[in-house]
Amino acid sequence: MGLRRRGRNRVARCWLPTMPVTTAICGASVMMLLVVLFHCLLSPPLEEEEHSFLHRARIQGRSHLLLKPTEHPKNVVAADTEEFHVPSGGVNPRTDLWSSNLSKQFYGCSNASKQFFRVGAVAEPNRYLMIATSGGLNQQRTGIIDAVVAARILNATLVIPELDEQSFWKDASNFSEIFDTDWFISSLKYDLMIVKEVPKKGGKIVGAPYKMRVPRKCTPKCYQSRVLPALMKKHVVQLTKYDYRLSNNLEPDLQKLRCRVNYHALKFTDQIRQMGNMLVQRMRSKSSRFIALHLRFEPDMLAFSGCYYGGGEKERTELGAIRKRWKTLHVNDPDKERRHGKCPLTPEEVALMLRALGFGDDVHLYVASGEIYGGEATLAALKAFFPNIHSKETLLSRDELAPFEPFSSRMAALDFIVCDESDVFVSNNNGNMARMLAGRRRYFGHKRTIRPNAKKLSSLFPNRTSMTWDAFQSKVRAIQKGFMGEPGEVKAGRGEFHENPVACICHKNKKPSKSARDFQENDDGLDWRDLDYGEIEPLGRSRSEGSGLDGDNLLARPDEAESDEFDFGW
């Protein structure tokens, strides 16, 4: 008995250790099989999954995820994750995104002071100033405004400005085909003598114009030392490539004259205004409130900016080829340009910013733009967020648009009117049109104007998927404080005067400041933000460009070519 028990115990001891091993292996195999079967049953086919996502993103407007540009092709919307859900709706309706609560306390004030003599007391005979503007509509507008002030500084008669017909778009429109010439002359009759052409004596013009160019940001003293001697000797002087040729820093009465020209004297023709107002009415018929988005994303501008937008080797090759058209253009570090806020936001980034600020997918957007690099693929993310997108091409019939379509400046004027009349104006850039409209909207009641804080947003967007949507939204709103068009958010003296016309904005309960000569001059040269759409043709450089602004000891020089100034024709 004892021997048999020892045998049984020995067998038991040998069998028991093997039993858990076999059970574990079988159990693990069954579990793996179940996991695979469960995954296969629940996972839809790839095409079905893709279709399902597009349906969610573009039709149902459910939350979705946008991944880092370095991980996915630009503007590709990826599937939902637990961390970063983008809501389709906006904020609580009580949150007023559409206007400023402080705007009613301010108003535009551009009347001349008693010390600003009427034109009859200062005008000199036989002094005629002509200008040839440069660039597209808004760049030319700055030249026209400054030409009026320059003529006043020189006590000269201004000849109706000659518009640029040599830009990339080859727009042959003259001044009277874009602006109301008679209104322009009559509204400034107390400030300046303006004529449509140089008068003739005995059937002949007084004299052929002496062509010359002044430096950028030329001060009143600069004009008196450079231009006045030539004007007194030749009687007719034409200033060529006239853009950004007058100082930001002028005495208050001259700044107010700028405002009278910009906000009152420069009025589009009846034909342009009527069609522009029709566009506004059609937007209002779709929604009582709408956003106008000025979207600069043309191939030429992107190439000139030197920035990278996530399009891989294809983008680098295509934009690099365009960039070679400018022989003197420096090679930029794309990452550095973006960190410094010099790159325009992509359509996807604009959509993210607007949604984070609280605008839902029911908002109607009017998009003012030139040719979009990448076409519909580039706009896909914007349309996924905001499906109600419109443009002059979608709101007008072919017959209605036909009289304007051959002329880039007239097309741009239509966009200008809609953007000016919109409830909210947004830009992905800080270019000419954006700056001009920002100043205009401040002057006429501080209408909501959103400028992207590109410098800080540039570091937030690439890291957005590493945080929750709530955290991302909170950061965007904090970054955009001071960039929402509130009164006083831009300090006096910052930016171009056309963007921040501080001398022409008054507080209802405060006396206007007696001094507006506090603008900081920026003479670092132009970048793409100073230029309008379209021009890609390099020009020559003037020897006087490197000189100081005042130029007290320099004689006037005849017109010379410039090589480092580039204009985009819109």
Side-chain angles (χ1 to χ4, degrees):
M1 291 291 292
L3 288 173
R4 283 196 296 271
R5 278 197 298 270
R6 282 196 298 269
R8 286 197 301 270
N9 289 339
R10 190 163 50 247
V11 173
R13 282 196 299 270
C14 293
W15 175 77
L16 286 172
T18 62
M19 186 176 176
V21 174
T22 306
T23 304
I25 293 173
C26 294
S29 301
V30 171
M31 288 298 294
M32 289 178 65
L33 181 61
L34 289 174
V35 169
V36 172
L37 290 173
F38 184 75
H39 178 75
C40 293
L41 288 172
L42 293 183
S43 297
L46 179 60
E47 293 183 2
E48 182 181 346
E49 181 178 0
E50 181 180 358
H51 174 77
S52 175
F53 162 70
L54 292 174
H55 184 72
R56 292 199 309 271
R58 297 181 182 176
I59 301 176
Q60 295 178 349
R62 293 178 184 172
S63 62
H64 47 270
L65 168 67
L66 298 171
L67 295 183
K68 300 178 184 178
T70 54
E71 295 175 349
H72 293 275
K74 62 178 180 177
N75 300 321
V76 174
V77 186
D80 292 345
T81 69
E82 294 296 333
E83 294 81 11
F84 195 79
H85 289 277
V86 183
S88 61
V91 299
N92 190 309
R94 291 177 297 179
T95 302
D96 192 359
L97 288 169
W98 297 89
S99 63
S100 168
N101 294 326
L102 300 174
S103 61
K104 294 181 180 179
Q105 299 178 21
F106 296 84
Y107 63 97
C109 53
S110 58
N111 291 335
S113 70
K114 294 180 180 179
Q115 289 73 37
F116 194 71
F117 296 108
R118 289 194 173 191
V119 62
V122 296
E124 294 287 345
N126 297 325
R127 291 186 190 176
Y128 294 95
L129 183 68
M130 304 173 67
I131 68 158
T133 61
S134 177
L137 176 66
N138 294 287
Q139 194 166 332
Q140 293 186 74
R141 191 182 186 107
T142 62
I144 295 167
I145 296 164
D146 290 348
V148 171
V149 180
R152 173 74 188 208
I153 291 170
L154 297 167
N155 294 331
T157 296
L158 179 68
V159 182
I160 286 293
E162 176 184 312
L163 302 187
D164 181 7
E165 298 180 4
Q166 303 301 318
S167 68
F168 176 73
W169 297 109
K170 306 296 183 185
D171 189 335
S173 301
N174 58 38
F175 187 96
S176 63
E177 290 172 319
I178 297 176
F179 301 106
D180 187 330
T181 303
D182 292 334
W183 173 263
F184 181 73
I185 293 173
S186 63
S187 64
L188 295 171
K189 63 183 178 182
Y190 298 121
D191 299 308
L192 190 71
M193 289 290 295
I194 304 176
V195 295
K196 295 182 179 180
E197 58 183 12
V198 178
K200 298 179 180 180
K201 288 185 178 181
K204 296 182 179 181
I205 297 177
V206 172
Y210 177 78
K211 295 184 179 182
M212 59 180 295
R213 190 172 300 168
V214 295
R216 294 196 182 278
K217 309 298 184 183
C218 195
T219 64
K221 195 174 182 180
C222 165
Y223 276 91
Q224 291 164 355
S225 63
R226 287 174 177 258
V227 184
L228 187 57
L231 196 58
M232 294 176 67
K233 182 178 180 180
K234 301 292 185 179
H235 303 296
V236 182
V237 170
Q238 184 182 51
L239 303 179
T240 61
K241 205 175 193 313
Y242 198 78
D243 57 351
Y244 303 101
R245 305 288 173 173
L246 182 62
S247 172
N248 237 9
N249 197 348
L250 301 175
E251 63 182 40
D253 266 322
L254 292 179
Q255 300 287 49
K256 288 180 180 291
L257 177 56
R258 269 176 161 162
C259 294
R260 290 197 294 278
V261 180
N262 193 5
Y263 306 133
H264 300 285
L266 278 176
K267 186 169 70 173
F268 292 122
T269 62
D270 288 344
Q271 182 192 33
I272 291 174
R273 284 188 292 113
Q274 288 170 5
M275 189 58 68
N277 291 333
M278 183 184 294
L279 282 167
V280 174
Q281 291 170 7
R282 290 183 181 177
M283 283 300 298
R284 296 280 180 217
S285 68
K286 297 179 180 298
S287 178
S288 60
R289 299 185 296 193
F290 71 92
I291 296 174
L293 168 61
H294 181 224
L295 187 63
R296 292 197 64 175
F297 216 70
E298 322 80 39
D300 295 331
M301 186 276 292
L302 298 185
F304 188 85
S305 73
C307 299
Y308 174 66
Y309 302 94
E313 193 58 34
K314 181 176 183 292
E315 176 190 313
R316 291 188 180 95
T317 301
E318 292 175 348
L319 297 187
I322 297 173
R323 193 173 173 82
K324 291 179 181 178
R325 298 173 185 174
W326 297 287
K327 295 181 181 179
T328 60
L329 201 59
H330 299 295
V331 177
N332 296 331
D333 180 351
D335 292 334
K336 183 179 179 181
E337 295 296 298
R338 188 167 294 280
R339 287 196 306 270
H340 290 176
K342 293 186 177 182
C343 298
L345 269 60
T346 67
E348 175 186 88
E349 291 169 340
V350 172
L352 277 167
M353 179 186 72
L354 290 176
R355 184 58 49 82
L357 291 174
F359 294 101
D361 61 2
D362 59 337
V363 169
H364 284 253
L365 255 65
Y366 178 91
V367 177
S369 68
E371 176 193 358
I372 299 296
Y373 177 66
E376 287 299 314
T378 301
L379 291 173
L382 180 65
K383 291 183 176 180
F385 277 101
F386 298 98
N388 300 310
I389 288 183
H390 314 278
S391 66
K392 55 186 177 295
E393 289 80 7
T394 64
L395 293 170
L396 298 177
S397 68
R398 289 185 178 181
D399 290 341
E400 290 170 329
L401 198 59
F404 303 90
E405 207 161 14
F407 307 99
S408 61
S409 290
R410 299 181 211 182
M411 293 282 277
L414 297 179
D415 281 337
F416 188 96
I417 292 172
V418 181
C419 290
D420 185 35
E421 292 295 327
S422 66
D423 299 279
V424 174
F425 173 65
V426 185
S427 64
N428 74 326
N429 65 90
N430 196 33
N432 280 325
M433 183 169 171
R435 290 193 299 235
M436 192 67 70
L437 279 164
R440 184 178 181 87
R441 290 170 70 88
R442 284 190 176 98
Y443 183 84
F444 288 108
H446 281 87
K447 294 187 285 187
R448 177 68 74 202
T449 303
I450 301 174
R451 301 172 299 131
N453 185 350
K455 189 172 183 179
K456 292 186 177 180
L457 288 173
S458 65
S459 62
L460 178 64
F461 285 133
N463 300 312
R464 59 184 178 267
T465 54
S466 64
M467 64 188 79
T468 64
W469 170 256
D470 289 342
F472 174 80
Q473 183 179 53
S474 177
K475 288 179 181 293
V476 169
R477 293 182 180 184
I479 286 171
Q480 282 300 121
K481 285 183 179 178
F483 291 81
M484 299 292 289
E486 292 287 340
E489 69 179 15
V490 180
K491 294 180 180 179
R494 298 296 298 273
E496 294 288 335
F497 181 78
H498 302 304
E499 178 184 10
N500 184 26
V502 62
C504 305
I505 296 176
C506 298
H507 194 289
K508 291 183 178 180
N509 299 322
K510 296 180 182 179
K511 292 183 178 180
S513 172
K514 294 183 179 180
S515 176
R517 302 190 62 179
D518 52 5
F519 272 81
Q520 299 172 4
E521 295 294 359
N522 179 10
D523 195 33
D524 297 332
L526 296 183
D527 61 20
W528 66 266
R529 293 169 294 179
D530 296 312
L531 311 170
D532 284 330
Y533 288 51
E535 284 198 13
I536 57 173
E537 300 166 331
L539 301 170
R541 177 177 173 83
S542 168
R543 290 195 301 268
S544 65
E545 278 301 307
S547 306
L549 294 179
D550 289 341
D552 299 330
N553 300 319
L554 297 175
L555 297 175
R557 300 178 188 271
D559 181 35
E560 296 174 350
E562 295 176 347
S563 61
D564 63 341
E565 297 159 13
F566 317 98
D567 303 312
F568 293 100
W570 223 45

